[in-house]
Amino acid sequence: MKITSGSAWQRIQQQGFDILQRGLDRHVRLAVTGLSRSGKTAFITSLVNQLLEGCDNQHLPFFDVVRQDRFLGCRRISQPHPHIPSFRYDQALQALSSQPAQWPEPTRGLSELRLAIRFRPEKGVTSWLTDTATLFLDIVDYPGEWLLDLPMLNQQYLVWSREQLQLLQSEPRASKAASWLQKAQQIKPDDPVNEDLLRDLAEEYTELLHYFRETLGLHLLQPGRFLLPGEMSGAPLLHFFPLPAATQLEDSISPVPGTQLEQLVKRFDAYRDHVVKGFYKEHFAQFDRQIVLADCLQPLNAGPASFRDLKRAIELILESFNYGRSSLLNRLFAPKIDRLLFAATKADHITPEQHSHLVALLGQLVHGAKQHVRFDGIPCDTMALASIRATTAGYCQHQGESIPAIQGNKADTGEAITLFPGEVPNVLPNDEYWQDNHFEFVSFAPQAKQPDQPLAHIRLDQALAFLLGDKLQ
Amino acid sequence: MKITSGSAWQRIQQQGFDILQRGLDRHVRLAVTGLSRSGKTAFITSLVNQLLEGCDNQHLPFFDVVRQDRFLGCRRISQPHPHIPSFRYDQALQALSSQPAQWPEPTRGLSELRLAIRFRPEKGVTSWLTDTATLFLDIVDYPGEWLLDLPMLNQQYLVWSREQLQLLQSEPRASKAASWLQKAQQIKPDDPVNEDLLRDLAEEYTELLHYFRETLGLHLLQPGRFLLPGEMSGAPLLHFFPLPAATQLEDSISPVPGTQLEQLVKRFDAYRDHVVKGFYKEHFAQFDRQIVLADCLQPLNAGPASFRDLKRAIELILESFNYGRSSLLNRLFAPKIDRLLFAATKADHITPEQHSHLVALLGQLVHGAKQHVRFDGIPCDTMALASIRATTAGYCQHQGESIPAIQGNKADTGEAITLFPGEVPNVLPNDEYWQDNHFEFVSFAPQAKQPDQPLAHIRLDQALAFLLGDKLQ
């Protein structure tokens, strides 16, 4: 069997070959998400770029199918769902190739693309059937906030309210949230419904969420769709919020019809059923593999509260996998994710000898979370990577000593600098540690992509090996 | 039976009383759309305002339920679909009440609201059952472009392409479309699919549609969702366009898999099935009454091409009603619209003695269209109205003669003027007429709303009587 021509590829796809390919384990739907500003777009761009341009031993030494010279080629083909926006790989590459190079525009909402990877199977059943095989790889990009909404599927409004209130009443949220909380305290559960008041408070609550994300760099933001409402902007199911009075109410209470409480409960339920369940059924339950990207450096810069928030966000994400496996919905729409990778991005922003610390730190964030949830059966790994390397590592002399350093251009000013950005703690920092240490990791601009070279990276091949290796055997 | 209290109203709604109300003919879903810039927001705002504030003989003399003193009251209640954006009556009213008064922001996409109207039925079966009755009135606002897409449900890609090409090759579109057409002519139906090229041409085609609407003031714009893609922005089903080569192809051709033609056909079909059929099933098929607003003055200002475009758009709209009644889909999702009103808006922008001309002109536009389609069984009326009156009418003296005039503030400068804006033709103008006549109807700013007065209007009561009168008997 030869490598098929362009139109033959198309034909295979169109004739429902997908299903057959899935049966032969030759189809993977890989979901990419991140805790905001983690570099989803850079990751997908680099992943696609490596597969299209960089499949040689030099660039992907840890990717078996490449190392063993079984990789035959890769191309982008028509995506499976015409109503989902396409991931704009071309635009991202253009930004990285411009002078000076720029980080690609972040994506908003959901997007997808499909690659077809031709390879020679290793000796085994498959290789007996065919000389060459094709892996159809769908990459789906979605906002991390949607993932963090999934635990709402198992919650009632009052329970959710109390959980959010606890967040709102602790720093770093508390000082900004105080005046909103005061207003919301005036909502009496048994008052007749006042839609204008509920809408106004929901809009102010949404502004708070934006502030928490954009100014405080927090990740735990529910309901996530409030931040990206799209066509639901202004719809009543976005007009609810955590109710301060919830702390005085029994969970078993039945709200009186026509009251504020009843309206809030109805809207929470509508959000859960329409928005959260919709995402779960249409997308999440269809994913085969998931990578969650996290920037651990920015929360270290921002301090203990931001770092604890990242920890809690990772716990919630692991809960949502747990959710899928234990709940009622599961019987109808079992999630298929059988491999989960947490990756700390921007490893090029620290010196190489700190990478092991970064991995250890992320490992502890994930490990801590795993103890809170029943979570087994899914291979789950952690690693530190740089999707697109923005710095070069080396040594510089300081008072006769050789110290590790990185060199790059600062993202804000473009200024070329060489520095030792600091140490990364290799355990979860405790209060004492925070008192004695401050972090100031610098953001770097990308280096311009060379036309004849794939994008430089750190350990993207190892991420590929974990996420796809078994499908390319 | 007394007028129920707030919470009792809510209870009635929540207990699925809707269905019972529908059975007793006490529920109406009124759809409001318009050919762009026709004043949908002003119409809905004024309609709601009249029902909430203006239900007396002085303001609504032709609305039977008011004239006969059977109107008991009206209030806004929770809308039926929590995932659909709410119509922002409060914001619109605020704009109209500001100093200087402003027209409300136009709506984008779909929105809805629900009113409950309490009234005493006339003597008859219903009045025997109850002293008072409630009409639940849902008002749904949607872009006219979506209505103009409906005929695509019955079309194949090549037929649609030829129809659009004809438009693109005639003025006023031709001179702007020429360079795009030249590029699109290079698409060979049998070439292997090139997604980047298709996307780029589709994006340029979308820019053309925007130009036609915003600069030329045209209404016939397909596919309508290209102009308002929302969450589908960047999705492949928006990446098609009319194919110039369609003029050389037989309708019966089966496209070769993997070719440009096949991809375009697939996307057209995906658009039709996902977008157009989606709107039809979820919304259009649920409407009970439809009002189509049209601004006839702006096309008269713009000249014969714009006016012919309005005529063709009205034909297409009537076709879409016909479509619903004759096609296969009909058997599954019969549209229920049983009353259709075409209203020429901005009647306050001409002097009162010209109103009969405006109605006659609109009548001919609709009458001409009716001859092209089998269209019967739906009472269809035409009228001229002003949702929110922006001028006062009177007479001024000119060379000893008393001539009719209107007085108001110009929309662009705010300058107060008194003028005779010109005559409206009472038949469809022919070429000769266009050579001898030019129109320059002025746009007026709204007059500030007085707190204790409902919005002033022209014939809104007659529109209400036609659209709702039979439901309030």
Side-chain angles (χ1 to χ4, degrees):
Chain A
M1 188 172 159
K2 289 192 306 182
I3 296 179
T4 53
S5 69
S7 65
W9 280 71
Q10 291 287 335
R11 198 153 52 236
I12 286 169
Q13 263 199 292
Q14 282 129 15
Q15 289 164 354
F17 214 70
D18 275 18
I19 295 156
L20 184 57
Q21 293 289 339
R22 280 184 100 97
L24 291 172
D25 224 7
R26 287 296 180 256
H27 186 286
V28 173
R29 205 158 164 80
L30 168 65
V32 179
T33 197
L35 299 169
S36 61
R37 297 168 180 167
S38 56
K40 277 186 303 163
T41 309
F43 176 81
I44 297 173
T45 303
S46 183
L47 188 155
V48 173
N49 185 255
Q50 307 306 330
L51 291 172
L52 291 179
E53 294 184 23
C55 274
D56 58 46
N57 241 324
Q58 187 192 341
H59 288 99
L60 301 174
F62 285 93
F63 197 24
D64 276 359
V65 70
V66 171
R67 190 166 46 83
Q68 294 162 358
D69 206 18
R70 297 186 288 105
F71 187 93
L72 299 174
C74 173
R75 50 185 292 192
R76 187 169 179 178
I77 59 175
S78 298
Q79 69 186 61
H81 302 103
H83 62 284
I84 293 181
S86 307
F87 180 85
R88 290 299 298 268
Y89 171 70
D90 54 329
Q91 282 180 351
L93 214 62
Q94 209 170 13
L96 290 163
S97 310
S98 63
Q99 288 290 351
Q102 289 171 358
W103 292 113
E105 284 284 308
T107 52
R108 291 169 65 83
L110 196 82
S111 65
E112 72 170 18
L113 66 80
R114 173 174 279 191
L115 298 174
I117 302 169
R118 298 289 289 172
F119 66 102
R120 263 192 301 276
E122 290 185 272
K123 298 297 167 222
V125 177
T126 330
S127 69
W128 180 78
L129 288 170
T130 170
D131 279 348
T132 64
T134 306
L135 173 67
F136 291 101
L137 171 64
D138 294 342
I139 301 174
V140 187
D141 168 20
Y142 70 92
E145 288 84 0
W146 298 2
L147 186 58
L148 288 169
D149 269 356
L150 285 188
M152 291 173 77
L153 281 173
N154 269 342
Q155 277 183 322
Q156 298 300 319
Y157 172 66
L158 292 175
V159 177
W160 175 82
S161 275
R162 285 192 290 265
E163 225 179 76
Q164 300 307 309
L165 287 167
Q166 229 171 9
L167 283 175
L168 290 172
Q169 284 159 351
S170 343
E171 289 304 344
R173 292 170 173 82
S175 38
K176 184 75 182 178
S179 73
W180 181 85
L181 275 168
Q182 209 169 6
K183 276 188 225 168
Q185 255 143 14
Q186 292 163 13
I187 299 274
K188 300 277 169 286
D190 286 338
D191 275 358
V193 62
N194 178 339
E195 299 212 5
D196 290 350
L197 184 59
L198 297 184
R199 187 195 57 230
D200 291 348
L201 277 166
E203 286 175 354
E204 281 181 51
Y205 177 71
T206 306
E207 282 167 31
L208 275 182
L209 292 180
H210 276 287
Y211 181 87
F212 296 156
R213 185 175 66 175
E214 281 122 45
T215 308
L216 303 184
L218 300 178
H219 308 100
L220 251 181
L221 305 157
Q222 283 183 351
R225 200 66 66 107
F226 281 28
L227 293 159
L228 197 73
E231 282 165 16
M232 274 180 302
S233 179
L237 61 64
L238 302 183
H239 294 160
F240 70 96
F241 45 81
L243 181 70
T247 49
Q248 282 110 49
L249 296 173
E250 298 281 334
D251 287 351
S252 56
I253 191 178
S254 336
V256 181
T259 58
Q260 297 275 51
L261 178 60
E262 197 228 11
Q263 188 70 306
L264 288 167
V265 170
K266 276 169 67 178
R267 286 177 179 176
F268 177 86
D269 291 351
Y271 180 87
R272 194 185 54 197
D273 294 346
H274 192 89
V275 178
V276 189
K277 210 171 277 179
F279 169 64
Y280 185 79
K281 283 161 63 173
E282 279 165 47
H283 303 289
F284 190 73
Q286 318 300 325
F287 299 152
D288 299 303
R289 305 277 155 104
Q290 171 75 61
I291 178 168
V292 181
L293 304 168
D295 175 1
C296 297
L297 303 178
Q298 190 275 333
L300 284 175
N301 277 358
S306 174
F307 197 78
R308 271 197 295 274
D309 186 77
L310 176 66
K311 182 164 179 289
R312 181 71 192 119
I314 289 177
E315 282 168 20
L316 263 195
I317 288 171
L318 283 166
E319 254 180 53
S320 66
F321 287 92
N322 185 55
Y323 159 73
R325 306 208 158 241
S326 62
S327 77
L328 177 71
L329 245 188
N330 181 33
R331 280 168 236 159
L332 296 168
F333 309 99
K336 304 181 305 175
I337 290 172
D338 58 4
R339 224 155 245 247
L340 173 60
L341 178 60
F342 281 93
T345 52
K346 308 187 185 171
D348 58 335
H349 284 47
I350 54 177
T351 45
E353 89 290 349
Q354 297 292 322
H355 289 181
S356 61
H357 284 206
L358 187 57
V359 177
L361 187 67
L362 182 64
Q364 292 208 17
L365 284 169
V366 173
H367 182 74
K370 279 165 88 168
Q371 298 188 313
H372 290 92
V373 291
R374 283 177 305 138
F375 181 70
D376 47 31
I378 302 179
C380 173
D381 204 356
T382 49
M383 88 184 36
L385 57 80
S387 306
I388 300 168
R389 184 199 268 271
T391 66
T392 47
Y395 289 87
C396 64
Q397 297 299 321
H398 181 67
Q399 300 181 339
E401 239 184 310
S402 172
I403 57 165
I406 51 174
Q407 199 163 37
N409 302 320
K410 283 181 77 175
D412 46 2
T413 60
E415 178 200 351
I417 50 168
T418 303
L419 82 167
F420 174 68
E423 288 200 6
V424 177
N426 63 357
V427 291
L428 297 180
N430 57 20
D431 288 351
E432 211 170 302
Y433 190 97
W434 283 111
Q435 273 174 1
D436 300 339
N437 290 273
H438 294 285
F439 303 96
E440 273 183 275
F441 298 104
V442 169
S443 285
F444 288 95
Q447 291 174 347
K449 181 187 182 317
Q450 302 306 313
D452 53 346
Q453 288 284 320
L455 291 162
H457 66 86
I458 298 174
R459 272 188 289 280
L460 202 77
D461 50 343
Q462 293 182 38
L464 280 168
F466 177 79
L467 292 168
L468 303 178
D470 61 323
K471 300 287 183 182
L472 292 164
Q473 281 176 346
Chain B
M1 186 172 158
K2 288 192 305 182
I3 295 179
T4 52
S5 70
S7 65
W9 280 72
Q10 290 286 337
R11 199 153 50 236
I12 284 168
Q13 262 199 294
Q14 281 130 16
Q15 290 165 353
F17 214 71
D18 275 18
I19 295 155
L20 184 57
Q21 293 290 339
R22 280 184 100 95
L24 291 172
D25 223 7
R26 287 296 180 256
H27 185 287
V28 172
R29 203 157 164 82
L30 168 65
V32 179
T33 197
L35 300 168
S36 61
R37 297 170 179 165
S38 56
K40 276 186 303 164
T41 308
F43 176 81
I44 296 173
T45 303
S46 183
L47 187 154
V48 173
N49 184 254
Q50 306 309 327
L51 291 172
L52 291 180
E53 295 185 22
C55 274
D56 59 47
N57 240 324
Q58 187 192 340
H59 289 99
L60 301 173
F62 285 93
F63 196 25
D64 276 0
V65 71
V66 171
R67 190 167 45 83
Q68 294 163 0
D69 205 19
R70 295 187 289 106
F71 186 94
L72 300 174
C74 173
R75 52 185 289 191
R76 187 169 179 178
I77 59 174
S78 298
Q79 67 186 62
H81 303 104
H83 62 284
I84 294 181
S86 307
F87 180 85
R88 292 298 298 267
Y89 171 70
D90 54 329
Q91 282 180 350
L93 214 62
Q94 208 171 12
L96 290 163
S97 310
S98 62
Q99 288 289 352
Q102 288 171 359
W103 290 114
E105 284 286 308
T107 53
R108 291 170 65 84
L110 196 83
S111 65
E112 71 170 19
L113 65 82
R114 174 174 277 192
L115 298 174
I117 302 169
R118 298 288 288 171
F119 66 101
R120 263 193 300 275
E122 289 185 274
K123 298 297 166 222
V125 176
T126 328
S127 69
W128 180 79
L129 288 171
T130 170
D131 279 348
T132 63
T134 307
L135 173 68
F136 292 101
L137 170 64
D138 294 342
I139 301 175
V140 187
D141 168 19
Y142 70 92
E145 288 83 1
W146 297 3
L147 186 58
L148 288 169
D149 269 355
L150 286 187
M152 292 173 76
L153 281 173
N154 269 342
Q155 277 183 322
Q156 296 302 318
Y157 173 66
L158 292 174
V159 177
W160 175 82
S161 275
R162 285 194 289 265
E163 226 179 77
Q164 300 306 309
L165 287 167
Q166 230 171 9
L167 283 175
L168 290 171
Q169 285 159 349
S170 344
E171 289 303 342
R173 291 170 173 83
S175 38
K176 184 76 183 177
S179 73
W180 180 86
L181 275 167
Q182 211 169 4
K183 278 188 225 169
Q185 256 143 14
Q186 293 164 11
I187 300 273
K188 300 279 170 283
D190 287 338
D191 276 357
V193 63
N194 178 338
E195 299 212 5
D196 290 350
L197 184 59
L198 297 184
R199 186 194 57 229
D200 291 348
L201 278 167
E203 286 177 353
E204 283 182 49
Y205 178 71
T206 307
E207 283 168 30
L208 275 182
L209 292 180
H210 276 286
Y211 181 87
F212 296 156
R213 183 175 68 175
E214 282 122 44
T215 308
L216 302 185
L218 300 179
H219 309 99
L220 250 180
L221 304 157
Q222 282 182 351
R225 200 66 65 106
F226 282 28
L227 293 159
L228 198 71
E231 282 165 18
M232 276 181 300
S233 180
L237 61 63
L238 302 183
H239 295 161
F240 70 96
F241 45 82
L243 181 70
T247 49
Q248 283 110 49
L249 296 172
E250 298 282 334
D251 287 351
S252 55
I253 191 176
S254 337
V256 181
T259 58
Q260 298 275 49
L261 178 60
E262 198 227 10
Q263 189 68 307
L264 288 167
V265 169
K266 275 169 66 180
R267 288 176 178 177
F268 177 86
D269 291 352
Y271 180 88
R272 194 186 54 198
D273 294 346
H274 192 90
V275 178
V276 188
K277 210 171 277 179
F279 169 65
Y280 185 79
K281 282 162 61 175
E282 279 166 46
H283 302 289
F284 190 73
Q286 317 301 327
F287 298 152
D288 298 303
R289 305 274 155 106
Q290 171 76 59
I291 177 167
V292 181
L293 304 168
D295 175 1
C296 296
L297 303 179
Q298 190 275 335
L300 284 175
N301 277 358
S306 174
F307 197 77
R308 271 196 296 274
D309 185 78
L310 177 67
K311 183 166 177 289
R312 181 71 193 121
I314 289 176
E315 281 168 19
L316 263 194
I317 287 170
L318 284 166
E319 254 178 53
S320 67
F321 288 92
N322 185 54
Y323 159 75
R325 306 207 157 243
S326 63
S327 77
L328 177 70
L329 245 189
N330 181 33
R331 279 166 236 160
L332 296 169
F333 309 98
K336 304 181 306 176
I337 290 172
D338 58 3
R339 223 157 246 245
L340 174 59
L341 177 61
F342 281 92
T345 52
K346 308 187 184 172
D348 58 335
H349 284 47
I350 53 176
T351 44
E353 89 291 350
Q354 297 293 322
H355 288 182
S356 62
H357 285 206
L358 187 57
V359 177
L361 187 67
L362 181 65
Q364 293 208 17
L365 284 169
V366 174
H367 182 74
K370 279 165 87 167
Q371 297 187 317
H372 290 92
V373 290
R374 282 176 308 137
F375 181 71
D376 46 31
I378 303 180
C380 173
D381 204 356
T382 48
M383 97 186 24
L385 57 79
S387 306
I388 300 169
R389 184 199 267 269
T391 66
T392 47
Y395 290 87
C396 64
Q397 298 298 320
H398 181 66
Q399 301 180 338
E401 239 183 310
S402 172
I403 58 165
I406 51 174
Q407 200 164 37
N409 301 322
K410 282 181 77 175
D412 46 2
T413 60
E415 177 200 353
I417 49 167
T418 303
L419 81 168
F420 174 67
E423 288 199 6
V424 177
N426 64 356
V427 291
L428 296 179
N430 57 20
D431 289 350
E432 213 171 301
Y433 189 97
W434 283 110
Q435 274 174 2
D436 301 340
N437 289 273
H438 293 284
F439 303 96
E440 273 182 275
F441 297 105
V442 169
S443 285
F444 288 94
Q447 292 175 346
K449 181 185 182 317
Q450 301 306 314
D452 52 346
Q453 287 285 319
L455 292 161
H457 66 87
I458 298 173
R459 272 187 290 279
L460 202 78
D461 51 341
Q462 292 182 39
L464 279 169
F466 178 78
L467 292 168
L468 303 177
D470 61 322
K471 300 285 183 183
L472 292 164
Q473 279 176 348

